[in-house]
Amino acid sequence: MSELNEIILEQISLFVMGLTGLILLMAILMMVQGAKLRKMRRKYEAMMSGNGVEDLETLLVNLKNQGDMLEEGQLEQKELIEAAHARMRGMKSKVAMKRYNAFGERGNDLSFSLAILDDNHNGIVLSSLHNRESSYIYAKPLEKGESSYALSPEEKEVIALALQQI
């Protein structure tokens, strides 16, 4: 039993020295971490206190509110642009005209056909037929490029010319 006690005494001194070294190492690490933590805490407090400017939390709240207002404004602008685009599609932007001599008499090409269409191919075709004795003006409505009234070849041609425009 005394041999066992001697082995334990030898081992206990090594064990105690190992634990003492481990405790010293842990104490050094704790001091280093404490110094880092104090430095970080000082930076955090300086950032949150504001240093003449409002604190970070107020700044972030204000930035979020500004972002929300910008987003609302952007949505309003998008709606306005879409409304303007829809109105533009309904505007009569495709126009074509053809002059011709309707009666084959001597003279100039005083008769004409004029097509005015929108992007949906809706609009009107106007034809003016002119001869020496009289002048006639006809207006025919167009829906999707077609009319419920009979169209002359010149009117069909001027509608085709207007539809070719971009």
Side-chain angles (χ1 to χ4, degrees):
M1 183 92 162
S2 69
E3 292 174 6
L4 186 59
N5 283 340
E6 282 180 31
I7 293 174
I8 290 175
L9 283 175
E10 286 176 14
Q11 298 299 323
I12 283 182
S13 63
L14 289 174
F15 183 70
V16 168
M17 286 194 314
L19 282 177
T20 304
L22 186 62
I23 290 172
L24 288 174
L25 180 64
M26 298 279 266
I28 292 170
L29 285 174
M30 191 172 75
M31 284 189 267
V32 169
Q33 291 299 324
K36 286 181 181 180
L37 185 61
R38 279 189 297 279
K39 183 178 176 184
M40 194 180 307
R41 185 177 301 268
R42 277 193 299 267
K43 286 182 180 179
Y44 173 78
E45 287 173 357
M47 182 175 62
M48 293 306 283
S49 68
N51 290 339
V53 183
E54 54 196 26
D55 63 34
L56 183 63
E57 183 178 1
T58 306
L59 180 65
L60 289 174
V61 168
N62 288 341
L63 285 174
K64 178 166 182 349
N65 291 338
Q66 287 176 359
D68 291 343
M69 289 187 331
L70 286 173
E71 189 173 325
E72 289 173 10
Q74 184 182 18
L75 289 175
E76 289 174 8
Q77 294 296 323
K78 182 179 179 184
E79 290 172 2
L80 289 173
I81 289 171
E82 288 173 355
H85 187 64
R87 277 196 320 264
M88 284 176 52
R89 273 187 255 126
M91 290 184 176
K92 308 302 185 221
S93 62
K94 297 179 180 185
V95 178
M97 186 177 89
K98 175 181 168 92
R99 293 181 63 104
Y100 53 93
N101 188 345
F103 299 106
E105 298 173 7
R106 284 186 1 206
N108 293 331
D109 294 340
L110 298 177
S111 298
F112 68 89
S113 290
L114 173 71
I116 304 171
L117 303 170
D118 63 11
D119 286 344
N120 298 322
H121 304 171
N122 299 326
I124 190 170
V125 63
L126 295 172
S127 292
S128 173
L129 304 178
H130 179 76
N131 66 13
R132 291 181 189 262
E133 292 84 36
S134 60
S135 184
Y136 304 97
I137 298 176
Y138 299 97
K140 298 175 185 175
L142 297 174
E143 263 189 58
K144 298 181 182 167
E146 300 291 327
S147 178
S148 57
Y149 300 97
L151 296 172
S152 70
E154 291 84 6
E155 290 170 333
K156 289 178 183 176
E157 183 180 346
V158 79
I159 291 169
L161 287 172
L163 291 176
Q164 289 175 357
Q165 294 180 4
I166 296 175

